[in-house]
Amino acid sequence: MAKVPAAAVAASGLIGGYGIARWTRKRQLGGAVLAVAGAAAAQQWRQQAGGKAAGALTAAYVVAFAGSHPLAKKVGAWPAVFGVAGAVALASWAVADRRG
């Protein structure tokens, strides 16, 4: 079975977490999706690139989540979420996923 790249897991967590929170009107449920995907991506990052890289990428994931809120006030909610998800995915690919 093919492994899902950590970049896709992380981006899906950010996008899916927001989508679930918005559509269900239950922020806690969206937060759970965000947390589970973040933990799964962090585990892959650690396996592929080591602890320091995993720590940095996990921090980027959290900063992206937090940063999407003020960014949404300027560009809208969905563009902000897609933007930060893309940035995290790109960082994940550059640091961990392209290594294989």
Side-chain angles (χ1 to χ4, degrees), residues 23-89:
W23 290 317
T24 65
R25 300 184 196 273
K26 297 189 186 303
R27 293 178 70 180
Q28 299 86 350
L29 187 56
V33 169
L34 180 80
V36 168
Q43 182 178 4
Q44 283 186 257
W45 291 329
R46 189 174 15 83
Q47 291 171 348
Q48 293 171 346
K52 286 185 182 182
L57 288 167
T58 300
Y61 185 80
V62 172
V63 168
F65 166 70
S68 69
H69 292 81
L71 183 60
K73 292 179 180 180
K74 295 179 189 239
V75 299
W78 280 113
V81 170
F82 284 128
V84 300
V88 169

